[in-house]
Amino acid sequence: MELLKQRIQEVGVVVSDKVLKLDAILNHQVDPVLTMEMGREFARLFRDTKPDKVLTVESSGIPIAFTTALHLEIPMIFARRKKTLTMDQDTYSERVPSFTKGIVTDIMVSSHLLHKGERVLLIDDFIANGDAARGLIRIIEKAEAELVGVGIAVEKSFQSGGSSIRERGIRVESLARIASLENGQITFD
């Protein structure tokens, strides 16, 4: 998606050879026009899979997943990282490491929101090592729902996350694939 690549070049901050900071458009501040376009593109790419729900993990994936669900006219669920007082006791839960936070967290979805046989589209902002995506996939499997595809706004293709999911035969569509962050330069596939 050329608009996303253009915005990454304009505002992306290369922190290291493995870390790209996109706080100005995805991870701290949200660019609503860009986010709507990303949702429209994911809806176009995955409409043929006939999803019943969109699933993401809090927090940076929520805006993109929301706009995707809006364009598909289906509900969106986000996996929580912390259990709240009002959250159901019966949840699907997984422990996943966070690449950018450097910690392991629990992600959970209330079991009454994800049902056996539902067709689920997973949407997220970034994929590096793929731990969050694999955790969400395990939650979908525990619910006996059907994963119809994975949409990623920014894939760091020099890390194994996207390829490890594709190797399982899962359809992965990335709007921008970054081949390298070496020498402070953003290079796209």
Side-chain angles (χ1 to χ4, degrees):
M1 180 178 176
E2 289 308 311
L3 177 61
L4 177 57
K5 291 179 184 177
Q6 177 186 344
R7 295 293 287 137
I8 290 169
Q9 289 287 11
E10 291 170 3
V11 303
V13 176
V14 178
V15 176
S16 72
D17 287 354
K18 293 191 178 181
V19 178
L20 175 64
K21 184 175 169 181
L22 291 176
D23 282 3
I25 58 173
L26 288 177
N27 304 115
H28 197 49
Q29 173 174 274
V30 175
D31 178 329
V33 173
L34 175 61
T35 303
M36 286 298 283
E37 290 303 315
M38 288 189 286
R40 182 176 285 115
E41 181 63 6
F42 281 135
R44 183 189 70 76
L45 289 168
F46 288 104
R47 190 173 309 281
D48 65 317
T49 67
K50 299 182 179 9
D52 298 307
K53 290 187 177 167
V54 172
L55 174 65
T56 193
V57 65
E58 69 177 355
S59 63
S60 298
I62 293 173
I64 304 163
F66 174 82
T67 60
T68 302
L70 176 70
H71 289 292
L72 290 169
E73 299 180 3
I74 60 175
M76 179 210 77
I77 306 168
F78 62 91
R80 293 185 177 268
R81 292 192 184 271
K82 292 186 179 173
K83 198 161 200 161
T84 65
L85 292 174
T86 59
M87 190 168 190
D88 292 336
Q89 295 301 311
D90 191 16
T91 63
Y92 301 113
S93 181
E94 284 292 323
R95 293 191 63 81
V96 297
S98 169
F99 178 77
T100 52
K101 294 181 181 87
I103 59 171
V104 175
T105 62
D106 292 316
I107 58 173
M108 60 204 86
V109 173
S110 290
S111 60
H112 80 275
L113 297 175
L114 195 57
H115 305 107
K116 180 177 181 174
E118 283 186 315
R119 299 173 59 78
V120 180
L121 173 60
L122 195 161
I123 299 288
D124 210 357
D125 60 338
F126 263 96
I127 193 164
N129 294 327
D131 294 313
R134 282 191 297 277
L136 289 171
I137 291 167
R138 287 191 300 273
I139 285 173
I140 292 166
E141 291 168 347
K142 285 180 179 180
E144 298 182 49
E146 180 184 351
L147 176 65
V148 298
V150 177
I152 303 294
V154 181
E155 177 181 349
K156 293 191 280 181
S157 60
F158 59 89
Q159 290 178 278
S160 63
S163 61
S164 70
I165 294 170
R166 287 181 184 97
E167 287 169 2
R168 293 183 57 186
I170 298 169
R171 178 179 169 190
V172 179
E173 299 282 353
S174 300
L175 301 182
R177 290 175 41 102
I178 296 175
S180 172
L181 297 172
E182 292 178 14
N183 302 316
Q185 299 297 310
I186 301 167
T187 306
F188 295 102
D189 280 343

